Amino acid sequence: IPIVIHAPSNSAVKGTDKILNALNELKNEGMKFDFKFLEKTDNDTIREQLSNADIAIDQLYAAMPATFALEAMAAGCAVICGNRPHIQPYPIDKPCVGGDPKTIKSSIKKLIINKSYRVALASKGREYVSKWHDPKVSAARLLEGLSRNEKNEYDYYPNIFANKFAQSKDEQLNSESKELNMSVLKTMKNITQEQWKSLKNRGLIPD
């Protein structure tokens, strides 16, 4: 019988009510699992419990795995957490099941009944945490990111400014601000001719 754990620091923020409702419905439908609910519990206790758990449910509203989810991955759990690739696309290989209020029940059910899927997902967690969230690795990536402007090589180029941003008609940009915008945009490799034209029409870069 799989052991499911949820350990919210703030139930309202984590979507705990939706998680508990989903778990209760699954119990009533005959799903077999043990559940441990640890609210506002010290980290040593949580990590100890994670070492014996099979499935960890983090939170429903975040765009990517948060601290509890990462600790659960490192402990060898299959994890359900916030995972919104369209908002937070990197890293691309996050080994977790995306959970939101609409899908949380089906996500939990899939991990409970499909042991091979659960084990396969859990087996990838520790490697992922070591690859992306080890303190030394994180520090190295931060330093690398600060120096990338010399090479103009980035993982992700946001396009909301190039495509949609509109300056208020009552607050037109001065020439210095337009030049600054241009210097930043030139570091981005994916600006099309159509986007450049649109940026000029919106008064965001020099004519």
Side-chain angles (χ1 to χ4, degrees):
I1 298 177
I3 298 174
V4 181
I5 184 171
H6 177 53
S9 55
N10 186 321
S11 294
V13 172
K14 306 296 183 180
T16 296
D17 57 337
K18 304 291 192 303
I19 293 168
L20 296 180
N21 286 341
L23 288 166
N24 287 331
E25 289 180 11
L26 290 171
K27 276 284 188 183
N28 293 334
E29 293 171 10
M31 288 282 102
K32 301 295 183 183
F33 61 91
D34 290 332
F35 177 55
K36 295 184 178 181
F37 180 56
L38 306 173
E39 186 172 20
K40 297 181 180 179
T41 305
D42 65 90
N43 188 250
D44 288 340
T45 300
I46 290 175
R47 293 174 68 179
E48 180 181 353
Q49 294 296 323
L50 283 172
S51 66
N52 296 314
D54 299 288
I55 301 168
I57 307 172
D58 183 18
Q59 55 184 309
L60 304 184
Y61 303 113
M64 65 183 298
T67 302
F68 176 71
L70 296 174
E71 290 180 337
M73 289 182 197
C77 297
V79 174
I80 299 173
C81 62
N83 185 14
R84 314 285 195 275
H86 62 290
I87 298 175
Q88 184 64 43
Y90 294 97
I92 60 175
D93 56 348
K94 295 186 279 289
C96 59
V97 176
D100 60 51
K102 294 182 179 180
T103 64
I104 182 61
K105 182 180 176 181
S106 60
S107 296
I108 298 171
K109 184 176 181 179
K110 182 176 181 179
L111 287 177
I112 290 174
I113 65 178
N114 193 333
K115 183 177 180 180
S116 60
Y117 174 65
R118 183 172 76 236
V119 171
L121 189 67
S123 68
K124 300 175 183 178
R126 189 167 188 84
E127 180 182 355
Y128 168 83
V129 174
S130 297
K131 179 180 179 180
W132 294 108
H133 295 281
D134 177 271
K136 292 182 179 179
V137 173
S138 297
R141 286 180 60 80
L142 176 60
L143 293 173
E144 178 192 2
L146 292 172
S147 63
R148 280 185 189 176
N149 64 323
E150 299 173 3
K151 302 177 182 179
N152 292 336
E153 295 177 354
Y154 297 89
D155 290 330
Y156 177 63
Y157 293 91
N159 58 24
I160 187 170
F161 182 83
N163 290 339
K164 297 181 179 180
F165 181 80
Q167 185 70 25
S168 170
K169 293 181 179 180
D170 297 327
E171 298 179 7
Q172 298 299 309
L173 294 183
N174 58 33
S175 58
E176 183 179 358
S177 296
K178 291 181 180 181
E179 290 290 349
L180 181 60
N181 284 343
M182 177 66 86
S183 66
V184 172
L185 289 164
K186 282 183 177 179
T187 68
M188 300 173 66
K189 296 181 178 181
N190 63 341
I191 303 294
T192 66
Q193 289 299 318
E194 184 178 345
Q195 286 173 316
W196 284 122
K197 182 178 180 180
S198 174
L199 286 162
K200 287 183 180 179
N201 290 338
R202 283 178 278 151
L204 299 176
I205 59 175
D207 295 329

